[in-house]
Amino acid sequence: GETRMTGDSIIYDSEIDRVEGFGNVIINNRKDKVDAQGEYVYYNRDNDSAVITGKALLIEYSMGDSMFIHADTFRLVTFYNDTRDSVVERQLRGFYKVRAYRTDMQMVADSMFFTTVDSSLTLYDDPTLWNNDQQVLGEKMIFYMNDSTIDWAHVIGQALFIQQNDSVHYNQIAGREMKAYFKS
């Protein structure tokens, strides 16, 4: 198929179509251009859902630059229509110590939630985003994506934008709520 799992130990139960991987587990999903790694992976092939723990890492490489996302645990859930012939929504949850980075940006938060319904990524509990000499903070951030790149962000609660002009001067904007638009 288009998904492949390797690891130190793999247990496959063909009756219930479930796979468990232990130690250095790697899942390659060529269709969605995502790799997942962890010390333990539980994957249900029937409903295309998974749990990844222990040094959990996701690598999304659909664009020219890969995005690396770390968390203590990831959970992927897929929802199908009534006839189960097409995907209605996919959700990805990452919790505890979420860190994401690629060459042009870095993010940290306590937890995250991504949904394919509106291609949004929500970061919870004092998230921070860095991009070159700019930083955005808030209590919660919702990023709206366009082809795996951030189109705009909604920062909710204690929103703060900081931009470094030079080694001494900074621009700062604060408010209860903020919308940040990204280009390039």
Side-chain angles (χ1 to χ4, degrees):
E2 296 189 31
T3 302
R4 179 180 176 182
M5 180 189 288
T6 59
D8 293 345
S9 299
I10 296 176
I11 299 169
Y12 174 60
D13 188 335
S14 60
E15 289 184 24
I16 57 175
D17 213 14
R18 294 188 184 147
V19 183
E20 283 186 278
F22 300 88
N24 301 311
V25 182
I26 300 172
I27 298 176
N28 303 102
N29 184 325
R30 293 180 217 163
K31 178 184 172 198
D32 295 326
K33 296 183 178 180
V34 174
D35 289 347
Q37 303 177 28
E39 292 299 312
Y40 172 76
V41 174
Y42 174 85
Y43 180 65
N44 184 332
R45 287 177 34 148
D46 182 49
N47 63 9
D48 194 23
S49 298
V51 174
I52 304 160
T53 63
K55 299 178 185 173
L57 169 66
L58 293 177
I59 305 169
E60 193 273 335
Y61 53 92
S62 65
M63 298 302 287
D65 186 16
S66 298
M67 176 175 277
F68 298 83
I69 307 171
H70 292 271
D72 290 344
T73 303
F74 287 109
R75 180 174 176 173
L76 171 69
V77 179
T78 304
F79 298 94
Y80 293 90
N81 63 3
D82 292 338
T83 58
R84 295 194 50 83
D85 60 354
S86 66
V87 174
V88 174
E89 176 185 11
R90 284 203 171 136
Q91 295 179 352
L92 174 66
R93 298 174 191 271
F95 30 98
Y96 311 122
K97 302 175 190 169
V98 173
R99 306 275 187 265
Y101 62 92
R102 65 179 190 205
T103 56
D104 62 341
M105 69 170 195
Q106 297 81 41
M107 294 185 278
V108 297
D110 177 67
S111 54
M112 62 165 273
F113 174 76
F114 177 79
T115 177
T116 58
V117 167
D118 60 0
S119 295
S120 68
L121 169 67
T122 304
L123 301 177
Y124 297 96
D125 293 335
D126 301 322
T128 303
L129 167 73
W130 294 272
N131 174 284
N132 298 322
D133 60 353
Q134 302 171 6
Q135 183 174 343
V136 179
L137 304 94
E139 292 176 6
K140 177 171 112 174
M141 286 187 211
I142 306 170
F143 297 95
Y144 295 92
M145 315 295 268
N146 184 8
D147 291 332
S148 298
T149 60
I150 299 173
D151 190 28
W152 67 283
H154 188 184
V155 185
I156 302 166
Q158 298 184 34
L160 176 64
F161 170 79
I162 303 168
Q163 180 181 33
Q164 185 176 12
N165 289 339
D166 54 42
S167 62
V168 178
H169 299 95
Y170 294 84
N171 290 326
Q172 297 183 41
I173 301 171
R176 288 187 293 261
E177 190 174 337
M178 185 181 302
K179 291 184 180 178
Y181 295 88
F182 296 79
K183 59 182 183 176
S184 301

